[in-house]
Amino acid sequence: MRTPPAVPAMAETTGAKRKREGSEESAEPPRGDGGSFPLAELCVRRVLRESARDKTIFLHGRVSGASGDAKDAVVILEKTPFQEESISDLLKNHTRLKLQMSNDIYSTYHLYPPPQLSEIKTTVVYPATEKHLQKYLRQDAYLICETGEDYKNITLPFIQSQSFSIQWVYNILEKKAEADRIIHENPDSSNGFILIPDFKWNQKQLDDLYLIAICHRRGIKSLRDLTAEHLPLLRNILQEGKMSLRKQKVTLSVRPDVGNGVPTAAVTQMETQSGGNGLEV
């Protein structure tokens, strides 16, 4: 969905899409050291957004360094889906029930599972910039009909002025990061891509399967940039993506779709979004 032209959220995707970017400001923020995030030192400043339905909460916090300077951070907490193979352990082993209410044949309890069965998925953006805070802040969403002229005069200039750094994309394409997570790669420079799990999927069950395909071709910002020239690339993503998943004994349904203003691969829960340097599916 898109917001009206005057609302900065127009070029942003919803939820915690895979965009682990730093801003493209002239003064680039320092990168993380790759170590463990100091969660215990986080001082929560405010709740950016929360969703009872999705069991997620987005927090803005600050972490004070040894020199006394504080850096902003975005911490996203998300309850993970139930895993069928763990249900027996959840109900039988070291789980405590506390009665809340009882009425005839109906009763309500609070169930307290052991730590290993009460995982909370945590995503961290640190150090975070003001753009990251605005990205995850609760915003009203609107559905609009965008014409070619609207894109040229409103959307494209906004994308060009507000886009985030996509160094994480280059790191994947150049095998500098997450090389062990790659599911499939077609190395062709024009019609090739890398298929990799998104952070939204914990890779433990298929219910929340979520994959992205990052193409090797540069310069594709959105659906508007696609022409007949890109059909071989899109067909490769669809056909090779399905084939690689079948090899892993994953059964998916096929559907054409469009989401977030850019094309979606015709495989359930493989979404396409603008990667800035190329198509991210």
Short mmCIF file of all heavy atoms in Angstrom, two decimals, residues 135-193:
data_model
loop_
_atom_site.label_atom_id
_atom_site.label_comp_id
_atom_site.label_asym_id
_atom_site.label_seq_id
_atom_site.Cartn_x
_atom_site.Cartn_y
_atom_site.Cartn_z
N LYS A 135 11.13 5.07 9.55
CA LYS A 135 10.67 3.91 8.78
C LYS A 135 9.79 2.99 9.61
O LYS A 135 8.77 2.48 9.14
CB LYS A 135 11.88 3.14 8.26
CG LYS A 135 11.54 1.79 7.65
CD LYS A 135 12.80 1.04 7.25
CE LYS A 135 12.46 -0.35 6.78
NZ LYS A 135 13.65 -1.11 6.39
N TYR A 136 10.18 2.76 10.88
CA TYR A 136 9.45 1.82 11.71
C TYR A 136 8.37 2.48 12.56
O TYR A 136 7.64 1.79 13.27
CB TYR A 136 10.43 1.06 12.61
CG TYR A 136 11.35 0.15 11.85
CD1 TYR A 136 12.71 0.41 11.74
CD2 TYR A 136 10.85 -0.99 11.22
CE1 TYR A 136 13.56 -0.43 11.02
CE2 TYR A 136 11.68 -1.82 10.50
CZ TYR A 136 13.03 -1.54 10.42
OH TYR A 136 13.86 -2.38 9.70
N LEU A 137 8.26 3.79 12.48
CA LEU A 137 7.23 4.50 13.23
C LEU A 137 5.85 4.20 12.66
O LEU A 137 5.69 4.06 11.44
CB LEU A 137 7.51 6.01 13.18
CG LEU A 137 6.70 6.91 14.11
CD1 LEU A 137 7.02 6.59 15.57
CD2 LEU A 137 7.02 8.38 13.81
N ARG A 138 4.86 4.10 13.52
CA ARG A 138 3.49 3.85 13.06
C ARG A 138 3.05 4.97 12.12
O ARG A 138 3.20 6.16 12.41
CB ARG A 138 2.54 3.78 14.24
CG ARG A 138 1.09 3.53 13.82
CD ARG A 138 0.16 3.66 15.01
NE ARG A 138 0.49 2.69 16.04
CZ ARG A 138 0.08 1.43 16.05
NH1 ARG A 138 -0.67 0.98 15.05
NH2 ARG A 138 0.42 0.62 17.03
N GLN A 139 2.53 4.58 10.95
CA GLN A 139 2.08 5.55 9.97
C GLN A 139 0.76 5.09 9.36
O GLN A 139 0.53 3.89 9.20
CB GLN A 139 3.13 5.73 8.85
CG GLN A 139 4.48 6.19 9.36
CD GLN A 139 5.49 6.33 8.24
OE1 GLN A 139 5.14 6.65 7.12
NE2 GLN A 139 6.74 6.09 8.56
N ASP A 140 -0.08 6.04 9.02
CA ASP A 140 -1.32 5.71 8.32
C ASP A 140 -0.99 5.27 6.90
O ASP A 140 -0.10 5.82 6.26
CB ASP A 140 -2.26 6.91 8.28
CG ASP A 140 -2.77 7.29 9.65
OD1 ASP A 140 -2.89 6.38 10.50
OD2 ASP A 140 -3.01 8.49 9.89
N ALA A 141 -1.71 4.27 6.41
CA ALA A 141 -1.48 3.76 5.06
C ALA A 141 -2.71 4.01 4.20
O ALA A 141 -3.85 3.93 4.68
CB ALA A 141 -1.16 2.26 5.10
N TYR A 142 -2.47 4.30 2.94
CA TYR A 142 -3.55 4.57 2.01
C TYR A 142 -3.30 3.80 0.72
O TYR A 142 -2.16 3.54 0.34
CB TYR A 142 -3.64 6.07 1.67
CG TYR A 142 -3.86 6.95 2.89
CD1 TYR A 142 -2.79 7.40 3.65
CD2 TYR A 142 -5.15 7.33 3.27
CE1 TYR A 142 -2.99 8.20 4.76
CE2 TYR A 142 -5.36 8.13 4.38
CZ TYR A 142 -4.27 8.57 5.12
OH TYR A 142 -4.46 9.36 6.22
N LEU A 143 -4.37 3.45 0.04
CA LEU A 143 -4.27 2.80 -1.26
C LEU A 143 -4.61 3.83 -2.32
O LEU A 143 -5.70 4.41 -2.32
CB LEU A 143 -5.25 1.63 -1.34
CG LEU A 143 -5.25 0.83 -2.65
CD1 LEU A 143 -3.90 0.16 -2.85
CD2 LEU A 143 -6.37 -0.19 -2.64
N ILE A 144 -3.67 4.08 -3.25
CA ILE A 144 -3.88 5.06 -4.29
C ILE A 144 -3.61 4.43 -5.65
O ILE A 144 -2.99 3.36 -5.75
CB ILE A 144 -2.98 6.30 -4.11
CG1 ILE A 144 -1.51 5.94 -4.34
CG2 ILE A 144 -3.19 6.93 -2.74
CD1 ILE A 144 -0.59 7.13 -4.41
N CYS A 145 -4.08 5.09 -6.69
CA CYS A 145 -3.80 4.67 -8.06
C CYS A 145 -2.71 5.57 -8.60
O CYS A 145 -2.93 6.77 -8.79
CB CYS A 145 -5.06 4.75 -8.91
SG CYS A 145 -4.82 4.25 -10.64
N GLU A 146 -1.53 5.02 -8.84
CA GLU A 146 -0.39 5.80 -9.30
C GLU A 146 -0.26 5.70 -10.82
O GLU A 146 -0.12 4.61 -11.37
CB GLU A 146 0.89 5.29 -8.64
CG GLU A 146 2.14 6.03 -9.08
CD GLU A 146 3.40 5.35 -8.61
OE1 GLU A 146 3.79 4.33 -9.23
OE2 GLU A 146 3.98 5.82 -7.62
N THR A 147 -0.29 6.82 -11.49
CA THR A 147 -0.09 6.85 -12.93
C THR A 147 1.39 6.94 -13.25
O THR A 147 2.23 7.16 -12.36
CB THR A 147 -0.80 8.06 -13.55
OG1 THR A 147 -0.17 9.27 -13.07
CG2 THR A 147 -2.28 8.08 -13.17
N GLY A 148 1.72 6.78 -14.52
CA GLY A 148 3.11 6.92 -14.93
C GLY A 148 3.67 8.29 -14.62
O GLY A 148 4.83 8.44 -14.22
N GLU A 149 2.83 9.32 -14.79
CA GLU A 149 3.26 10.68 -14.49
C GLU A 149 3.47 10.87 -13.00
O GLU A 149 4.41 11.56 -12.57
CB GLU A 149 2.23 11.68 -15.02
CG GLU A 149 2.25 11.87 -16.53
CD GLU A 149 3.60 12.40 -17.01
OE1 GLU A 149 4.09 13.38 -16.42
OE2 GLU A 149 4.15 11.83 -17.97
N ASP A 150 2.60 10.26 -12.18
CA ASP A 150 2.77 10.33 -10.73
C ASP A 150 4.12 9.73 -10.32
O ASP A 150 4.84 10.28 -9.48
CB ASP A 150 1.65 9.57 -10.02
CG ASP A 150 0.31 10.28 -10.15
OD1 ASP A 150 0.31 11.50 -10.37
OD2 ASP A 150 -0.73 9.59 -10.02
N TYR A 151 4.45 8.59 -10.93
CA TYR A 151 5.72 7.95 -10.59
C TYR A 151 6.89 8.85 -10.99
O TYR A 151 7.83 9.04 -10.21
CB TYR A 151 5.83 6.62 -11.30
CG TYR A 151 7.18 5.94 -11.10
CD1 TYR A 151 7.49 5.30 -9.91
CD2 TYR A 151 8.16 5.98 -12.10
CE1 TYR A 151 8.72 4.70 -9.70
CE2 TYR A 151 9.40 5.39 -11.91
CZ TYR A 151 9.67 4.75 -10.70
OH TYR A 151 10.90 4.18 -10.51
N LYS A 152 6.82 9.40 -12.18
CA LYS A 152 7.92 10.22 -12.71
C LYS A 152 8.11 11.49 -11.89
O LYS A 152 9.24 11.89 -11.59
CB LYS A 152 7.65 10.56 -14.17
CG LYS A 152 8.72 11.44 -14.81
CD LYS A 152 8.37 11.73 -16.26
CE LYS A 152 9.42 12.66 -16.89
NZ LYS A 152 9.08 12.97 -18.31
N ASN A 153 7.00 12.14 -11.50
CA ASN A 153 7.08 13.45 -10.87
C ASN A 153 7.09 13.41 -9.34
O ASN A 153 7.52 14.37 -8.71
CB ASN A 153 5.89 14.32 -11.32
CG ASN A 153 5.91 14.58 -12.82
OD1 ASN A 153 6.97 14.72 -13.43
ND2 ASN A 153 4.72 14.63 -13.43
N ILE A 154 6.60 12.29 -8.76
CA ILE A 154 6.48 12.24 -7.30
C ILE A 154 7.29 11.09 -6.70
O ILE A 154 8.17 11.30 -5.86
CB ILE A 154 5.00 12.12 -6.88
CG1 ILE A 154 4.20 13.30 -7.42
CG2 ILE A 154 4.87 12.03 -5.36
CD1 ILE A 154 2.71 13.17 -7.21
N THR A 155 6.95 9.86 -7.12
CA THR A 155 7.55 8.69 -6.48
C THR A 155 9.04 8.57 -6.76
O THR A 155 9.84 8.37 -5.83
CB THR A 155 6.83 7.41 -6.94
OG1 THR A 155 5.43 7.55 -6.73
CG2 THR A 155 7.34 6.21 -6.16
N LEU A 156 9.44 8.68 -8.02
CA LEU A 156 10.85 8.50 -8.37
C LEU A 156 11.75 9.53 -7.70
O LEU A 156 12.78 9.16 -7.11
CB LEU A 156 11.03 8.53 -9.89
CG LEU A 156 12.46 8.33 -10.40
CD1 LEU A 156 13.02 7.00 -9.91
CD2 LEU A 156 12.49 8.40 -11.93
N PRO A 157 11.41 10.83 -7.73
CA PRO A 157 12.25 11.79 -7.00
C PRO A 157 12.35 11.49 -5.51
O PRO A 157 13.40 11.67 -4.90
CB PRO A 157 11.53 13.13 -7.25
CG PRO A 157 10.80 12.94 -8.53
CD PRO A 157 10.34 11.50 -8.50
N PHE A 158 11.24 10.99 -4.93
CA PHE A 158 11.28 10.65 -3.51
C PHE A 158 12.22 9.47 -3.26
O PHE A 158 13.02 9.49 -2.32
CB PHE A 158 9.88 10.32 -3.01
CG PHE A 158 9.83 9.98 -1.55
CD1 PHE A 158 9.73 10.98 -0.59
CD2 PHE A 158 9.91 8.66 -1.12
CE1 PHE A 158 9.71 10.67 0.76
CE2 PHE A 158 9.89 8.34 0.22
CZ PHE A 158 9.79 9.36 1.16
N ILE A 159 12.12 8.44 -4.10
CA ILE A 159 13.00 7.28 -3.95
C ILE A 159 14.46 7.71 -4.06
O ILE A 159 15.32 7.28 -3.27
CB ILE A 159 12.68 6.21 -5.01
CG1 ILE A 159 11.30 5.60 -4.76
CG2 ILE A 159 13.75 5.11 -5.02
CD1 ILE A 159 10.87 4.62 -5.83
N GLN A 160 14.75 8.57 -5.02
CA GLN A 160 16.13 9.00 -5.25
C GLN A 160 16.67 9.85 -4.11
O GLN A 160 17.86 9.81 -3.80
CB GLN A 160 16.22 9.76 -6.57
CG GLN A 160 15.96 8.89 -7.79
CD GLN A 160 15.85 9.69 -9.08
OE1 GLN A 160 15.49 10.88 -9.07
NE2 GLN A 160 16.15 9.05 -10.20
N SER A 161 15.79 10.58 -3.45
CA SER A 161 16.24 11.46 -2.36
C SER A 161 16.26 10.79 -1.00
O SER A 161 16.99 11.18 -0.11
CB SER A 161 15.34 12.70 -2.29
OG SER A 161 14.02 12.33 -1.92
N GLN A 162 15.44 9.72 -0.83
CA GLN A 162 15.28 9.12 0.48
C GLN A 162 15.81 7.69 0.58
O GLN A 162 15.70 7.09 1.62
CB GLN A 162 13.80 9.10 0.86
CG GLN A 162 13.17 10.48 0.96
CD GLN A 162 13.70 11.26 2.15
OE1 GLN A 162 14.00 10.69 3.19
NE2 GLN A 162 13.81 12.57 1.99
N SER A 163 16.35 7.15 -0.49
CA SER A 163 16.74 5.75 -0.47
C SER A 163 17.83 5.47 0.57
O SER A 163 18.64 6.32 0.89
CB SER A 163 17.24 5.31 -1.85
OG SER A 163 18.37 6.07 -2.23
N PHE A 164 17.81 4.23 1.09
CA PHE A 164 18.78 3.79 2.07
C PHE A 164 19.98 3.15 1.38
O PHE A 164 19.91 2.74 0.22
CB PHE A 164 18.15 2.75 3.00
CG PHE A 164 17.17 3.32 3.98
CD1 PHE A 164 15.87 3.62 3.60
CD2 PHE A 164 17.55 3.54 5.29
CE1 PHE A 164 14.97 4.12 4.51
CE2 PHE A 164 16.64 4.05 6.21
CZ PHE A 164 15.35 4.35 5.82
N SER A 165 21.04 3.05 2.12
CA SER A 165 22.20 2.29 1.62
C SER A 165 21.82 0.83 1.48
O SER A 165 21.08 0.29 2.30
CB SER A 165 23.37 2.43 2.59
OG SER A 165 24.37 1.49 2.29
N ILE A 166 22.32 0.18 0.44
CA ILE A 166 22.03 -1.24 0.23
C ILE A 166 23.33 -2.04 0.24
O ILE A 166 23.48 -3.00 -0.51
CB ILE A 166 21.24 -1.47 -1.08
CG1 ILE A 166 21.96 -0.81 -2.25
CG2 ILE A 166 19.83 -0.94 -0.95
CD1 ILE A 166 21.36 -1.17 -3.60
N GLN A 167 24.25 -1.63 1.10
CA GLN A 167 25.51 -2.36 1.20
C GLN A 167 25.27 -3.82 1.54
O GLN A 167 26.01 -4.70 1.10
CB GLN A 167 26.41 -1.71 2.26
CG GLN A 167 27.78 -2.37 2.39
CD GLN A 167 28.56 -2.34 1.09
OE1 GLN A 167 28.63 -1.31 0.43
NE2 GLN A 167 29.15 -3.47 0.71
N TRP A 168 24.21 -4.11 2.31
CA TRP A 168 23.92 -5.50 2.67
C TRP A 168 23.62 -6.33 1.43
O TRP A 168 23.92 -7.53 1.40
CB TRP A 168 22.77 -5.57 3.66
CG TRP A 168 21.42 -5.16 3.15
CD1 TRP A 168 20.89 -3.91 3.16
CD2 TRP A 168 20.45 -6.01 2.55
NE1 TRP A 168 19.63 -3.92 2.61
CE2 TRP A 168 19.33 -5.20 2.21
CE3 TRP A 168 20.39 -7.37 2.26
CZ2 TRP A 168 18.19 -5.71 1.61
CZ3 TRP A 168 19.25 -7.88 1.65
CH2 TRP A 168 18.16 -7.06 1.33
N VAL A 169 23.03 -5.70 0.39
CA VAL A 169 22.76 -6.41 -0.86
C VAL A 169 24.07 -6.78 -1.54
O VAL A 169 24.27 -7.92 -1.98
CB VAL A 169 21.89 -5.56 -1.79
CG1 VAL A 169 21.75 -6.23 -3.15
CG2 VAL A 169 20.52 -5.33 -1.18
N TYR A 170 24.98 -5.80 -1.63
CA TYR A 170 26.28 -6.07 -2.25
C TYR A 170 27.04 -7.15 -1.48
O TYR A 170 27.73 -7.98 -2.08
CB TYR A 170 27.11 -4.79 -2.31
CG TYR A 170 26.46 -3.68 -3.10
CD1 TYR A 170 26.52 -2.36 -2.65
CD2 TYR A 170 25.77 -3.93 -4.29
CE1 TYR A 170 25.93 -1.33 -3.36
CE2 TYR A 170 25.18 -2.91 -5.00
CZ TYR A 170 25.26 -1.61 -4.54
OH TYR A 170 24.66 -0.60 -5.24
N ASN A 171 26.94 -7.13 -0.16
CA ASN A 171 27.64 -8.14 0.65
C ASN A 171 27.17 -9.54 0.30
O ASN A 171 27.96 -10.49 0.24
CB ASN A 171 27.41 -7.87 2.13
CG ASN A 171 28.14 -6.64 2.62
OD1 ASN A 171 29.07 -6.16 1.97
ND2 ASN A 171 27.74 -6.12 3.76
N ILE A 172 25.85 -9.70 0.06
CA ILE A 172 25.32 -11.01 -0.31
C ILE A 172 25.77 -11.39 -1.72
O ILE A 172 26.22 -12.51 -1.96
CB ILE A 172 23.78 -11.00 -0.22
CG1 ILE A 172 23.35 -10.87 1.25
CG2 ILE A 172 23.20 -12.28 -0.82
CD1 ILE A 172 21.85 -10.72 1.43
N LEU A 173 25.64 -10.46 -2.66
CA LEU A 173 26.02 -10.75 -4.04
C LEU A 173 27.50 -11.10 -4.17
O LEU A 173 27.88 -11.92 -5.01
CB LEU A 173 25.68 -9.56 -4.95
CG LEU A 173 24.19 -9.25 -5.12
CD1 LEU A 173 24.01 -7.97 -5.94
CD2 LEU A 173 23.48 -10.41 -5.81
N GLU A 174 28.34 -10.46 -3.36
CA GLU A 174 29.78 -10.70 -3.42
C GLU A 174 30.24 -11.76 -2.43
O GLU A 174 31.44 -11.97 -2.25
CB GLU A 174 30.50 -9.37 -3.15
CG GLU A 174 30.21 -8.30 -4.20
CD GLU A 174 30.70 -6.92 -3.80
OE1 GLU A 174 31.43 -6.83 -2.76
OE2 GLU A 174 30.37 -5.95 -4.48
N LYS A 175 29.29 -12.44 -1.80
CA LYS A 175 29.58 -13.54 -0.85
C LYS A 175 30.39 -13.08 0.36
O LYS A 175 31.11 -13.87 0.97
CB LYS A 175 30.33 -14.69 -1.55
CG LYS A 175 29.72 -15.18 -2.85
CD LYS A 175 28.38 -15.80 -2.65
CE LYS A 175 27.94 -16.62 -3.85
NZ LYS A 175 28.29 -16.14 -5.15
N LYS A 176 30.27 -11.82 0.71
CA LYS A 176 30.96 -11.31 1.89
C LYS A 176 30.15 -11.55 3.17
O LYS A 176 30.69 -11.44 4.28
CB LYS A 176 31.23 -9.81 1.74
CG LYS A 176 32.21 -9.46 0.63
CD LYS A 176 32.43 -7.96 0.55
CE LYS A 176 33.44 -7.61 -0.54
NZ LYS A 176 33.64 -6.14 -0.65
N ALA A 177 28.88 -11.86 3.00
CA ALA A 177 28.01 -12.13 4.14
C ALA A 177 26.93 -13.11 3.73
O ALA A 177 26.49 -13.11 2.57
CB ALA A 177 27.39 -10.84 4.67
N GLU A 178 26.52 -13.97 4.67
CA GLU A 178 25.39 -14.89 4.49
C GLU A 178 25.59 -15.89 3.36
O GLU A 178 24.61 -16.45 2.84
CB GLU A 178 24.09 -14.10 4.27
CG GLU A 178 23.78 -13.12 5.38
CD GLU A 178 22.43 -12.47 5.22
OE1 GLU A 178 21.44 -13.20 5.03
OE2 GLU A 178 22.36 -11.23 5.28
N ALA A 179 26.81 -16.15 2.97
CA ALA A 179 27.06 -17.11 1.89
C ALA A 179 26.54 -18.49 2.23
O ALA A 179 26.10 -19.23 1.34
CB ALA A 179 28.56 -17.15 1.57
N ASP A 180 26.57 -18.85 3.51
CA ASP A 180 26.11 -20.17 3.92
C ASP A 180 24.59 -20.29 3.94
O ASP A 180 24.05 -21.38 4.09
CB ASP A 180 26.66 -20.51 5.31
CG ASP A 180 26.25 -19.49 6.37
OD1 ASP A 180 26.03 -18.32 6.00
OD2 ASP A 180 26.15 -19.86 7.54
N ARG A 181 23.88 -19.16 3.74
CA ARG A 181 22.42 -19.18 3.75
C ARG A 181 21.82 -19.22 2.34
O ARG A 181 20.61 -19.32 2.19
CB ARG A 181 21.89 -17.94 4.48
CG ARG A 181 22.09 -17.99 5.98
CD ARG A 181 21.93 -16.62 6.63
NE ARG A 181 20.79 -15.87 6.15
CZ ARG A 181 19.54 -16.01 6.62
NH1 ARG A 181 19.30 -16.88 7.60
NH2 ARG A 181 18.56 -15.28 6.15
N ILE A 182 22.66 -19.13 1.33
CA ILE A 182 22.16 -19.10 -0.04
C ILE A 182 21.52 -20.43 -0.42
O ILE A 182 22.13 -21.49 -0.26
CB ILE A 182 23.31 -18.76 -1.03
CG1 ILE A 182 23.79 -17.33 -0.79
CG2 ILE A 182 22.84 -18.92 -2.48
CD1 ILE A 182 25.00 -16.93 -1.64
N ILE A 183 20.29 -20.38 -0.91
CA ILE A 183 19.57 -21.58 -1.33
C ILE A 183 19.87 -21.92 -2.78
O ILE A 183 19.99 -23.09 -3.14
CB ILE A 183 18.05 -21.37 -1.12
CG1 ILE A 183 17.73 -21.27 0.38
CG2 ILE A 183 17.24 -22.50 -1.75
CD1 ILE A 183 16.28 -20.99 0.67
N HIS A 184 19.99 -20.88 -3.62
CA HIS A 184 20.22 -21.12 -5.05
C HIS A 184 20.86 -19.87 -5.64
O HIS A 184 20.58 -18.74 -5.20
CB HIS A 184 18.90 -21.41 -5.76
CG HIS A 184 19.03 -21.51 -7.25
ND1 HIS A 184 19.56 -22.62 -7.88
CD2 HIS A 184 18.72 -20.62 -8.24
CE1 HIS A 184 19.55 -22.42 -9.19
NE2 HIS A 184 19.05 -21.21 -9.44
N GLU A 185 21.70 -20.07 -6.66
CA GLU A 185 22.28 -18.93 -7.38
C GLU A 185 22.38 -19.24 -8.86
O GLU A 185 22.80 -20.32 -9.27
CB GLU A 185 23.66 -18.55 -6.85
CG GLU A 185 24.26 -17.38 -7.64
CD GLU A 185 25.63 -16.94 -7.17
OE1 GLU A 185 26.25 -17.70 -6.39
OE2 GLU A 185 26.09 -15.86 -7.58
N ASN A 186 21.96 -18.27 -9.66
CA ASN A 186 22.25 -18.23 -11.09
C ASN A 186 23.22 -17.09 -11.28
O ASN A 186 22.86 -15.92 -11.09
CB ASN A 186 20.95 -17.99 -11.89
CG ASN A 186 21.19 -17.93 -13.39
OD1 ASN A 186 22.25 -17.51 -13.84
ND2 ASN A 186 20.20 -18.33 -14.16
N PRO A 187 24.48 -17.35 -11.64
CA PRO A 187 25.51 -16.31 -11.64
C PRO A 187 25.49 -15.38 -12.85
O PRO A 187 26.32 -14.46 -12.92
CB PRO A 187 26.81 -17.13 -11.60
CG PRO A 187 26.46 -18.39 -12.30
CD PRO A 187 25.04 -18.69 -11.94
N ASP A 188 24.56 -15.59 -13.79
CA ASP A 188 24.53 -14.75 -14.99
C ASP A 188 24.39 -13.27 -14.60
O ASP A 188 23.53 -12.92 -13.78
CB ASP A 188 23.37 -15.16 -15.90
CG ASP A 188 23.39 -14.42 -17.21
OD1 ASP A 188 24.09 -14.87 -18.13
OD2 ASP A 188 22.70 -13.37 -17.31
N SER A 189 25.21 -12.40 -15.19
CA SER A 189 25.24 -10.99 -14.80
C SER A 189 23.98 -10.24 -15.21
O SER A 189 23.65 -9.20 -14.61
CB SER A 189 26.47 -10.29 -15.39
OG SER A 189 26.46 -10.39 -16.82
N SER A 190 23.27 -10.72 -16.23
CA SER A 190 22.07 -10.03 -16.70
C SER A 190 20.78 -10.66 -16.20
O SER A 190 19.84 -9.96 -15.80
CB SER A 190 22.04 -9.99 -18.24
OG SER A 190 23.12 -9.23 -18.75
N ASN A 191 20.73 -11.99 -16.21
CA ASN A 191 19.48 -12.68 -15.88
C ASN A 191 19.63 -13.62 -14.69
O ASN A 191 18.80 -14.50 -14.48
CB ASN A 191 18.99 -13.47 -17.09
CG ASN A 191 18.73 -12.57 -18.29
OD1 ASN A 191 18.15 -11.50 -18.15
ND2 ASN A 191 19.18 -13.00 -19.46
N GLY A 192 20.69 -13.44 -13.91
CA GLY A 192 20.93 -14.30 -12.76
C GLY A 192 20.50 -13.65 -11.46
O GLY A 192 20.22 -12.44 -11.38
N PHE A 193 20.46 -14.45 -10.40
CA PHE A 193 20.00 -13.96 -9.11
C PHE A 193 20.48 -14.91 -8.01
O PHE A 193 20.96 -16.01 -8.26
CB PHE A 193 18.47 -13.90 -9.08
CG PHE A 193 17.79 -15.24 -9.16
CD1 PHE A 193 17.34 -15.89 -8.02
CD2 PHE A 193 17.66 -15.89 -10.38
CE1 PHE A 193 16.74 -17.14 -8.09
CE2 PHE A 193 17.05 -17.14 -10.46
CZ PHE A 193 16.59 -17.76 -9.32
#
